[in-house]
Every structure is written in structure tokens, then in C-alpha cells.
Amino acid sequence: MRFSVRHQTLYRYSAPVRLAEHVLRFNPRPEAGRLFERTLSTDPTPIEREDALDRFGNLVTRVAFDGLSARFAIDSRFALEVARPAAPRTAALPPLPWPIGADGPNAVYCMSGGIDNTVRAFATEIASECGGDALAFLDRLNQTLFVRIRHDIRAEGAARPAAATLALGHGACRDVTDLFLAACRSLGAPARFVSGYQAKADTPDGRRHLHAWPEAFAPGLGWLAYDPTHGVKVSDGHVGLCAAPDQAATMPVEGGFYGGAVTSTLDYQVEIETDAA
């Protein structure tokens, strides 16, 4: 599927401010698909700019500014083709729960401290229903969250704690994603938070937004992507921008400003066009 994406972001300040250095995360991940074009511009224009891979393999843009400004505008555009995933491979996986690894390349995605007992019990029950089969667990977890957690839109704020989303029975895509991660990690399965765009446009408010979904790591199979907001496996209808252990490291704009008693507002607009490749 071919994606054409334009994502405009505008911060307004009640008085001119000095912008701090920022990290911008609007670039598709290197493995996201075949990239045809990409532009990322800001107003004001940065005095320094660097594109680099962060420690999680995401292509980020670091910018620095000089002078004062009463606004900070970001305009990201790209065209990209996402291929359908190859036929799924098979692998003999040990039954869940898995030992929680303290080291290794995926250790950072196994953090299980602080997971509420209600979430642990929820994950354990699903794993038991699947006889400990890891792939069956991931499929059932995906479907269970789709059915059990009502989807809503919350434009601002971090993901709620997993236990809160489970108790409330509703949440934004980032809330459902965080609950999926916690359920996986409670059983020793590495999992990560992915931020990006989706082809589907059935958001409750009719607008386009950034989307979030989880990936779980299975030995011998690699990272497997699910979308519990819609109850599907991720295919060519998603474009990943960032993948990281938590939402904070996938935020599209990271930075701040220097000023006195200054207030700020945020507006954004996402336009997505898709065509079957």
C-alpha cells in the first residue's frame, strides 16, 4: 500500500521564547517500506540540524535554534510504499511464562517491575486458556483487548497505567498499547511501543491522528506487530515512525523553550492518502 502523509504541527506561545534543542520523530523507520520522498521543515529555520539513528533504531531529526520566536511550526511530508508481510514463519516456542532476561539485546523491552497484579492475573488467565502457547496468547490478547477496551480519543497526555485502562474498560490507542505491553512483559515476553500512522480512518472524531500499536518479540520469528485497537495483525496498512520500550521515547516532538510566565497551545493536522500498490 502506498502512503502519502502530511503532518503539520504548530505551537503558539503567549510571548516570544527561546526554543531549546528538539528531537523530531516524524521520519518512517528504516524498515517501514520503500521511501519515495521525504521533507521535514520547521519555522523558525534551525541553525543546526542532524538526522541520526537513536539507540532503538529510529531515524530522528535533531534541531537547534537561535533568537526568539512566538511560534514553532513543523511540516512533515513523505510518500512511502509498504509491502505486505511475507507468509508467517513457524518456530517451536517454549510455553509461557518465559524467564525474564536481565541482559541481552531485548532486555530493555522486558521491564516488568511495577506491573499491577490485576494485569498479571489478566495475562496469566489468557495464557492458561491458550495452554501457554505464545503465538496463540498474542492472538487472543489482541482480540480480547479489542473486544474489552472501548476505543476513544484523547489528544493529549501520556498513556494511562495499564491497570487503569483494564479497570476503566476504555482508552486511546496508546492506553491499549501500554496494556498489551504490560501483559506480555508480565509473562517474560519482550514487547515495545510503536508510534506511526494507519490507513484506517474510522476514528471517533473523524480526524486523522498518530496511531500506536504494540510489537512482541518471539525467538526465531522476530518482532510481531498487532493492533488491539482494531483487533487485527499489522500488515501493509500501518507505517511505523518509532519503536521504543515506552511511549515517551516515541513522542513526535521532544524539547522545550526558555521564557518567563509563558503559556503555549498546540494544534496539529494529519492528512493521509493511500492507494493499493
Side-chain angles (χ1 to χ4, degrees), residues 60-231:
V60 302
T61 302
R62 297 185 174 92
V63 288
F65 303 92
D66 193 16
L68 299 177
S69 178
R71 68 196 300 270
F72 179 32
I74 306 162
D75 190 349
S76 169
R77 310 183 195 202
F78 66 79
L80 175 140
E81 181 179 315
V82 181
R84 283 189 173 274
R89 295 172 290 164
T90 59
L93 300 177
L96 294 170
W98 295 341
I100 297 177
D103 52 19
N106 290 325
V108 70
Y109 303 107
C110 297
M111 299 176 295
S112 60
I115 297 176
D116 191 88
N117 286 336
T118 60
V119 176
R120 294 182 183 274
F122 168 71
T124 298
E125 181 179 357
I126 295 176
S128 178
E129 293 170 353
C130 299
D133 184 294
L135 297 182
F137 165 79
L138 294 173
D139 286 336
R140 184 166 297 191
L141 175 62
N142 192 43
Q143 286 299 315
T144 299
L145 294 180
F146 170 63
V147 172
R148 183 164 171 173
I149 309 299
R150 187 182 79 248
H151 181 211
D152 54 30
I153 293 292
R154 198 173 75 259
E156 297 181 5
R160 292 191 184 107
T165 301
L166 184 62
L168 288 169
H170 66 87
C173 56
R174 60 188 179 279
D175 303 318
V176 183
T177 295
D178 210 54
L179 177 51
F180 191 107
L181 301 187
C184 289
R185 292 171 180 173
S186 72
L187 297 173
R192 64 187 183 183
F193 189 106
V194 184
S195 175
Y197 304 105
Q198 60 175 334
K200 295 175 70 70
D202 58 346
T203 53
D205 63 355
R207 295 182 61 194
R208 304 309 299 267
H209 304 271
L210 273 173
H211 190 46
W213 61 91
E215 292 182 349
F217 186 84
L221 298 177
W223 289 102
L224 307 177
Y226 298 83
D227 188 344
T229 298
H230 300 294

